[in-house]
Amino acid sequence: MTGERQGAARGEFTGLAAVVTGGASGIGLATAGLLAARGARVACLDLHPEQVPAPLLGLAADVTDDGSVRAAVASAAEALGGIDVLVNNAGIGARGTVESNPDDEWHRVFDVNVVGIARVTRAALPHLRASAHAAIVNTCSIAAWAGLPDRALYSATKGAVQSLTLAMAADHVREGIRVNCVNPGTVDTPWVRRLLAAAEDPEAELAALQARQPTGRLVGAEEVAAAIAYLAGPLAGATTGTVLGVDGGMHGLRLRPGPPPPI
C-alpha cells in the first residue's frame, strides 16, 4: 500500500460517528479502538459501560430491552452528532447439542444474538438514513457456515444473523445504507478463555481449537476489528450484502494432515 493510501486508511473515518454494541471487551472493544484511531467518534453500548476506556464513550444498554436500546442510541446520536456506522457486535454463546439447552435458554440466546440486532438497527436507522456514509456491520461466526460439535443453539443464532444481514442489505441498499457481516473463526477473547479455563484439560482444548484453523492459531480480536473497519469504511463503498470470513482458512481450506504453517 502506498503512503498516500495508508494515510487515507488511517484517517478514513474522520468526521464520522460510530456505535459499537458489546464494545467493552473482546472484538467490540478492539473494533471501537480501531475506528477511533482512524478518526471516528465512537460510542460503545454495553451492559458494563464503566469498562469502556476513554476517549471512547461508554453507554449502558441491554440489547434485549427495547427501551434501553432506544435511549442509548438516542444518547449516542446526540453526543456524537449523528450515527454513520453501526457495528452490531453484542452476543452471547451457548454450548450443547440440540437437546441440551432448555427452551428459556433458546429464547434468551436468540433474543440477544438475533433480535438484539433488530432492536439496535431499527433504533439507529433514522440516523443512518441521514448520513452520507451509512454502513452496518454485524458480527456473525464461522458457525453460520460450518457444522461445529456441541454448538447447536449458538450456530442456529449465527445462521440467522447471516441471513438477516443479507435481507437487511437488500432492504436498505437503495437508502444508501450498506450492510455486511464478518464470520470470525475461534477468536482469542475473554469468553473463549473462560471456556478454556472450564475445560477438563485446558491445554488440550486450546490445541484442538488451534488445530482446526488451517493457520494453526486462534484469530486475534484485532484481526476481526480490521475486517469490520474495512467493511464499515468509505473505501468499501461498493461492498454490501457480503459475508467476510476471518477464520484462519477454516471455512474454505481443506489441507492434508501436517504441521501448522510457521506463522
Side-chain angles (χ1 to χ4, degrees):
M1 183 182 288
T2 66
E4 181 179 344
R5 292 184 66 189
Q6 286 177 332
R10 283 195 297 269
E12 67 178 313
F13 290 93
T14 299
L16 300 180
V19 169
V20 180
T21 67
S25 64
I27 294 170
L29 181 57
T31 299
L34 181 57
L35 295 178
R38 294 188 180 181
R41 305 181 303 280
V42 183
C44 297
L45 275 54
D46 201 279
L47 290 172
H48 303 286
E50 72 281 357
Q51 297 179 8
V52 176
L56 306 173
L57 172 64
L59 295 170
D62 178 352
V63 298
T64 69
D65 184 296
D66 188 61
S68 170
V69 165
R70 290 186 182 276
V73 169
S75 295
E78 181 177 3
L80 302 178
I83 299 173
D84 304 286
V85 172
L86 171 62
V87 180
N88 284 309
N89 172 74
I92 56 176
R95 301 187 69 170
T97 69
V98 73
E99 63 183 347
S100 301
N101 309 105
D103 283 2
D104 60 349
E105 188 170 6
W106 277 83
H107 290 300
R108 182 176 68 91
V109 180
F110 265 91
D111 201 16
V112 174
N113 291 2
V114 183
V115 187
I117 289 178
R119 290 189 186 99
V120 178
T121 300
R122 70 190 179 199
L125 274 172
H127 306 287
L128 292 167
R129 290 184 178 116
S131 171
H133 168 78
I136 300 171
V137 184
N138 299 325
T139 301
C140 192
S141 170
I142 182 65
W145 271 333
L148 304 180
D150 211 34
R151 292 291 187 276
L153 169 52
Y154 179 74
S155 298
T157 67
K158 291 305 183 176
V161 170
Q162 182 167 307
S163 295
L164 177 60
T165 297
L166 301 182
M168 288 167 55
D171 285 337
H172 302 294
V173 63
R174 290 183 178 173
E175 296 180 303
I177 301 171
R178 299 184 300 105
V179 187
N180 298 285
C181 72
V182 291
N183 280 14
T186 303
V187 183
D188 194 352
T189 63
W191 180 69
V192 168
R193 288 293 169 175
R194 286 193 295 271
L195 288 180
L196 290 171
E200 184 175 337
D201 186 340
E203 289 188 9
E205 182 66 14
L206 174 60
L209 292 178
Q210 292 170 330
R212 74 182 184 182
Q213 298 182 150
T215 52
R217 62 175 177 82
L218 300 185
V219 178
E222 295 78 10
E223 294 171 312
V224 183
I228 292 172
Y230 163 70
L231 292 173
L235 297 178
T239 304
T240 192
T242 291
V243 181
L244 178 56
V246 191
D247 58 9
M250 186 175 172
H251 172 58
L253 303 185
R254 301 293 182 270
L255 305 186
R256 293 180 178 181
I263 59 173

